[in-house]
Amino acid sequence: MTDGTRNLVLVHGAWHGPWCWELFGPELESRGWAVSAVDLPSTWGDPAAGMRDDAGAVRDHLAAIDGPVTVLAHSYGGVPATEAAGPAVERIIYLAAHMLAEGESVITPLGGPWFPADADFAPGPDPEQALYPDVPDDWTRKAVGLLRPQSARAFTEELTRASWRTIPSALVVCDDDLSLPGLFVDRAIAQGMADVVRHLPGGHSPFLSRPAELAELVGEVTAALPVVG
Protein backbone atom coordinates (compact mmCIF):
# COMPACT_ATOMS: atom_id res chain seq x y z
CA MET A 1 0.00 0.00 0.00
CA THR A 2 1.66 3.22 -1.11
CA ASP A 3 -1.37 5.56 -1.07
CA GLY A 4 -0.87 6.85 2.46
CA THR A 5 -2.73 3.99 4.13
CA ARG A 6 -1.51 3.33 7.68
CA ASN A 7 -0.82 -0.36 8.17
CA LEU A 8 -1.24 -1.88 11.61
CA VAL A 9 -0.35 -5.51 12.27
CA LEU A 10 -1.74 -7.14 15.42
CA VAL A 11 0.15 -9.94 17.19
CA HIS A 12 -1.88 -11.80 19.81
CA GLY A 13 -0.62 -13.22 23.06
CA ALA A 14 -0.30 -16.72 24.47
CA TRP A 15 -3.36 -19.00 24.47
CA HIS A 16 -5.16 -16.54 22.18
CA GLY A 17 -5.75 -16.18 18.44
CA PRO A 18 -6.77 -13.48 15.96
CA TRP A 19 -10.33 -13.78 17.30
CA CYS A 20 -9.32 -11.61 20.26
CA TRP A 21 -9.22 -8.49 18.04
CA GLU A 22 -12.88 -8.73 16.99
CA LEU A 23 -13.95 -5.63 18.93
CA PHE A 24 -10.70 -3.71 18.58
CA GLY A 25 -10.11 -4.09 14.83
CA PRO A 26 -13.19 -2.11 13.74
CA GLU A 27 -12.27 0.69 16.14
CA LEU A 28 -8.87 0.94 14.49
CA GLU A 29 -10.31 0.79 10.98
CA SER A 30 -12.72 3.61 11.80
CA ARG A 31 -9.67 5.70 12.65
CA GLY A 32 -7.99 5.11 9.33
CA TRP A 33 -5.85 2.05 9.97
CA ALA A 34 -5.56 -0.88 7.57
CA VAL A 35 -5.58 -3.74 10.06
CA SER A 36 -4.36 -7.32 9.74
CA ALA A 37 -3.54 -9.99 12.31
CA VAL A 38 -0.97 -12.74 12.66
CA ASP A 39 -1.97 -16.22 13.84
CA LEU A 40 0.86 -17.61 15.99
CA PRO A 41 1.69 -21.31 15.40
CA SER A 42 2.57 -21.95 19.04
CA THR A 43 -1.16 -21.79 19.83
CA TRP A 44 -2.18 -24.39 17.23
CA GLY A 45 -1.80 -27.40 19.52
CA ASP A 46 1.66 -28.44 18.28
CA PRO A 47 4.16 -28.67 21.15
CA ALA A 48 7.06 -28.48 18.68
CA ALA A 49 6.07 -24.97 17.60
CA GLY A 50 7.88 -22.32 19.58
CA MET A 51 8.84 -18.67 19.59
CA ARG A 52 10.96 -18.99 16.47
CA ASP A 53 8.01 -20.40 14.55
CA ASP A 54 5.90 -17.52 15.80
CA ALA A 55 8.56 -15.03 14.75
CA GLY A 56 8.62 -16.65 11.32
CA ALA A 57 4.86 -16.18 11.03
CA VAL A 58 5.21 -12.49 11.99
CA ARG A 59 8.07 -12.04 9.53
CA ASP A 60 6.13 -13.65 6.67
CA HIS A 61 3.06 -11.55 7.44
CA LEU A 62 5.07 -8.34 7.43
CA ALA A 63 6.79 -9.27 4.16
CA ALA A 64 3.40 -9.51 2.42
CA ILE A 65 2.53 -5.88 3.25
CA ASP A 66 3.57 -3.14 0.85
CA GLY A 67 4.61 -0.06 2.76
CA PRO A 68 5.61 0.88 6.31
CA VAL A 69 3.95 -0.88 9.22
CA THR A 70 3.17 -0.30 12.87
CA VAL A 71 3.11 -3.50 14.95
CA LEU A 72 0.97 -3.83 18.06
CA ALA A 73 1.84 -6.90 20.12
CA HIS A 74 0.00 -8.10 23.20
CA SER A 75 1.56 -9.94 26.13
CA TYR A 76 3.70 -12.90 24.92
CA GLY A 77 3.22 -11.60 21.36
CA GLY A 78 5.83 -8.99 22.17
CA VAL A 79 8.52 -11.67 22.06
CA PRO A 80 8.10 -12.91 18.46
CA ALA A 81 7.39 -9.33 17.38
CA THR A 82 10.71 -8.27 18.90
CA GLU A 83 12.49 -11.09 17.09
CA ALA A 84 10.82 -10.52 13.72
CA ALA A 85 10.35 -6.77 13.22
CA GLY A 86 12.53 -5.53 10.37
CA PRO A 87 13.23 -2.35 8.39
CA ALA A 88 9.64 -1.99 7.14
CA VAL A 89 8.38 -1.63 10.71
CA GLU A 90 8.16 2.03 11.74
CA ARG A 91 6.95 1.47 15.30
CA ILE A 92 6.21 -1.26 17.80
CA ILE A 93 3.54 -0.89 20.47
CA TYR A 94 3.96 -3.35 23.33
CA LEU A 95 0.52 -3.73 24.90
CA ALA A 96 0.92 -5.25 28.38
CA ALA A 97 3.69 -7.12 26.62
CA HIS A 98 7.08 -8.66 27.29
CA MET A 99 10.06 -6.56 26.31
CA LEU A 100 13.11 -8.82 26.37
CA ALA A 101 16.76 -8.51 25.39
CA GLU A 102 18.89 -10.73 23.19
CA GLY A 103 19.53 -14.10 24.79
CA GLU A 104 16.42 -13.94 26.95
CA SER A 105 13.21 -15.94 26.87
CA VAL A 106 10.00 -15.34 28.80
CA ILE A 107 11.21 -17.52 31.66
CA THR A 108 14.62 -15.82 31.98
CA PRO A 109 13.54 -12.90 34.19
CA LEU A 110 11.39 -15.29 36.23
CA GLY A 111 14.38 -17.46 37.09
CA GLY A 112 12.89 -20.53 35.45
CA PRO A 113 9.64 -22.05 34.20
CA TRP A 114 6.40 -22.31 36.16
CA PHE A 115 5.74 -25.65 34.43
CA PRO A 116 7.61 -28.98 34.40
CA ALA A 117 10.70 -29.02 32.19
CA ASP A 118 9.22 -31.80 30.03
CA ALA A 119 5.78 -30.18 29.64
CA ASP A 120 4.38 -29.98 26.12
CA PHE A 121 1.96 -27.17 26.95
CA ALA A 122 2.14 -24.41 29.51
CA PRO A 123 -0.70 -23.89 31.99
CA GLY A 124 -2.19 -20.44 31.90
CA PRO A 125 -3.60 -18.22 34.62
CA ASP A 126 -7.23 -18.28 35.66
CA PRO A 127 -8.68 -16.47 32.65
CA GLU A 128 -11.68 -14.84 34.28
CA GLN A 129 -9.57 -13.36 37.07
CA ALA A 130 -6.23 -12.74 35.40
CA LEU A 131 -7.11 -12.06 31.76
CA TYR A 132 -10.65 -10.70 31.67
CA PRO A 133 -11.63 -9.25 35.08
CA ASP A 134 -13.13 -6.11 33.54
CA VAL A 135 -14.41 -7.62 30.28
CA PRO A 136 -18.21 -7.81 29.83
CA ASP A 137 -19.61 -11.17 30.90
CA ASP A 138 -20.72 -12.25 27.43
CA TRP A 139 -17.29 -11.65 25.98
CA THR A 140 -15.57 -13.25 28.95
CA ARG A 141 -17.53 -16.46 28.36
CA LYS A 142 -16.82 -16.33 24.64
CA ALA A 143 -13.10 -15.65 25.11
CA VAL A 144 -12.63 -18.41 27.68
CA GLY A 145 -14.23 -20.85 25.24
CA LEU A 146 -11.86 -19.79 22.45
CA LEU A 147 -8.58 -20.07 24.36
CA ARG A 148 -6.09 -22.50 22.83
CA PRO A 149 -3.33 -24.75 24.17
CA GLN A 150 -0.03 -22.91 24.34
CA SER A 151 3.23 -24.69 23.64
CA ALA A 152 5.68 -24.53 26.52
CA ARG A 153 8.52 -24.20 24.03
CA ALA A 154 7.37 -20.68 23.13
CA PHE A 155 8.36 -19.52 26.61
CA THR A 156 11.82 -21.12 26.61
CA GLU A 157 13.26 -20.15 23.21
CA GLU A 158 15.59 -17.17 23.44
CA LEU A 159 15.63 -14.02 21.36
CA THR A 160 18.49 -13.53 18.92
CA ARG A 161 17.69 -9.84 18.38
CA ALA A 162 15.82 -7.07 20.14
CA SER A 163 14.23 -4.82 17.54
CA TRP A 164 13.17 -2.21 20.12
CA ARG A 165 16.81 -1.13 20.15
CA THR A 166 16.49 0.29 16.63
CA ILE A 167 12.73 0.68 16.06
CA PRO A 168 10.80 3.37 17.99
CA SER A 169 8.76 1.51 20.58
CA ALA A 170 6.06 2.24 23.13
CA LEU A 171 4.99 0.30 26.19
CA VAL A 172 1.33 0.48 27.21
CA VAL A 173 0.96 -0.51 30.85
CA CYS A 174 -2.44 -1.75 32.02
CA ASP A 175 -2.64 -0.42 35.57
CA ASP A 176 -4.75 -3.25 36.98
CA ASP A 177 -2.99 -6.05 35.11
CA LEU A 178 -3.18 -9.33 37.04
CA SER A 179 -1.51 -11.43 34.34
CA LEU A 180 1.79 -9.85 33.29
CA PRO A 181 4.17 -9.96 36.27
CA GLY A 182 5.10 -6.45 37.36
CA LEU A 183 8.81 -7.22 37.19
CA PHE A 184 8.62 -7.21 33.39
CA VAL A 185 7.12 -3.72 33.36
CA ASP A 186 9.48 -2.37 36.03
CA ARG A 187 12.51 -3.78 34.23
CA ALA A 188 11.49 -2.41 30.82
CA ILE A 189 10.97 1.07 32.26
CA ALA A 190 14.14 1.03 34.39
CA GLN A 191 16.27 -0.09 31.45
CA GLY A 192 14.73 2.40 29.03
CA MET A 193 13.55 -0.24 26.59
CA ALA A 194 10.58 1.87 25.44
CA ASP A 195 10.79 5.36 23.97
CA VAL A 196 7.28 6.13 25.19
CA VAL A 197 5.37 4.70 28.17
CA ARG A 198 1.64 5.17 28.56
CA HIS A 199 -0.82 3.87 31.14
CA LEU A 200 -4.32 2.56 30.57
CA PRO A 201 -6.82 1.80 33.35
CA GLY A 202 -8.04 -1.74 33.77
CA GLY A 203 -6.86 -5.27 33.21
CA HIS A 204 -4.77 -7.30 30.83
CA SER A 205 -7.14 -7.36 27.85
CA PRO A 206 -8.21 -3.81 26.94
CA PHE A 207 -8.95 -4.88 23.36
CA LEU A 208 -12.05 -6.52 24.86
CA SER A 209 -12.75 -4.28 27.84
CA ARG A 210 -12.17 -0.80 26.35
CA PRO A 211 -11.48 -1.16 22.61
CA ALA A 212 -12.38 2.44 21.67
CA GLU A 213 -10.17 3.88 24.39
CA LEU A 214 -7.32 1.63 23.32
CA ALA A 215 -7.72 2.64 19.68
CA GLU A 216 -7.52 6.30 20.68
CA LEU A 217 -4.37 5.57 22.65
CA VAL A 218 -2.80 3.86 19.63
CA GLY A 219 -3.24 7.07 17.67
CA GLU A 220 -1.75 9.15 20.46
CA VAL A 221 1.19 6.81 20.94
CA THR A 222 2.08 6.60 17.27
CA ALA A 223 2.08 10.40 17.06
CA ALA A 224 4.35 10.61 20.11
CA LEU A 225 6.95 8.11 18.92
CA PRO A 226 10.05 9.45 17.18
CA VAL A 227 10.43 8.95 13.45
CA VAL A 228 13.60 7.26 12.24
CA GLY A 229 15.21 8.32 8.97
Side-chain angles (χ1 to χ4, degrees), residues 11-189:
V11 183
H12 65 79
W15 300 284
H16 285 69
W19 58 264
C20 72
W21 310 117
E22 184 175 332
L23 301 180
F24 184 46
E27 294 287 350
L28 292 167
E29 290 168 350
S30 72
R31 291 163 174 79
W33 292 99
V35 180
S36 60
V38 182
D39 194 357
L40 298 180
S42 69
T43 65
W44 295 355
D46 179 3
M51 188 277 294
R52 294 190 185 95
D53 299 282
D54 291 340
V58 175
R59 196 175 294 114
D60 289 347
H61 190 96
L62 292 171
I65 298 174
D66 183 16
V69 179
T70 295
V71 172
L72 185 148
H74 178 243
S75 199
Y76 158 75
V79 186
T82 297
E83 178 78 9
V89 176
E90 289 187 319
R91 312 171 189 87
I92 307 173
I93 301 172
Y94 291 85
L95 173 60
H98 297 277
M99 298 188 77
L100 303 177
E102 303 90 338
E104 292 184 331
S105 68
V106 170
I107 66 171
T108 303
L110 297 173
W114 64 93
F115 45 82
D118 60 351
D120 287 336
F121 299 100
D126 178 282
E128 294 186 10
Q129 295 299 316
L131 301 178
Y132 314 125
D134 53 349
V135 172
D137 290 345
D138 58 340
W139 254 103
T140 295
R141 289 190 295 271
K142 181 175 180 178
V144 170
L146 291 171
L147 291 174
R148 301 164 161 182
Q150 174 64 55
S151 79
R153 185 173 185 175
F155 297 127
T156 62
E157 290 187 336
E158 298 173 349
L159 287 176
T160 65
R161 61 188 300 271
S163 55
W164 50 262
R165 295 192 187 278
T166 56
I167 298 173
S169 299
L171 175 62
V172 176
V173 180
C174 295
D175 286 334
D176 303 309
D177 197 335
L178 299 177
S179 180
L180 183 71
L183 70 91
F184 287 99
V185 173
D186 295 342
R187 204 179 69 126
I189 294 173

